[in-house]
Amino acid sequence: GFRSPKLNEMLRKKEHKVASHSQHSLGHAVDFRVVGMTPKEMRKELEKLGWKGGIGQYDKVEDRFVHADVGPDRRWRER
């Protein structure tokens, strides 16, 4: 969902891996979890749907979510 520029900068300063010009700040991104699915399974479902945009897979126990945005087509994984 939307992240204000102020919140985005605060997260960056707390050393979270947050882009300075985040798609969240434009209202073009969402981070989500699906009960009963791993981040890998969620990512694969998005790819099967033909998602055009960014997909980030976050596997750490404290994260376990997927990021999806409508920016450039790219993929990344945080372990």
Side-chain angles (χ1 to χ4, degrees):
F2 177 74
R3 184 186 298 152
S4 72
K6 184 176 180 177
L7 176 59
N8 199 68
E9 191 56 30
M10 181 190 74
L11 291 171
R12 284 176 48 77
K13 287 180 180 177
K14 288 188 174 185
E15 298 186 31
H16 293 275
K17 293 183 179 176
V18 174
S20 59
H21 299 293
S22 169
Q23 292 290 322
H24 287 283
S25 295
L26 301 171
H28 295 169
V30 63
D31 296 337
F32 65 94
R33 293 182 181 102
V34 176
V35 175
M37 293 181 77
T38 67
K40 181 179 180 179
E41 291 168 334
M42 291 183 283
R43 176 188 51 82
K44 286 187 173 196
E45 287 298 318
L46 282 176
E47 291 172 341
K48 279 198 288 187
L49 291 169
W51 185 263
K52 301 293 182 211
I55 301 176
Q57 177 182 327
Y58 293 81
D59 295 319
K60 289 182 183 175
V61 173
E62 64 270 19
D63 293 334
R64 297 188 52 79
F65 68 89
V66 167
H67 164 101
D69 68 55
V70 296
D73 194 27
R74 65 211 187 287
R75 305 288 182 269
W76 66 94
R77 184 175 179 194
E78 297 285 333
R79 298 176 192 198

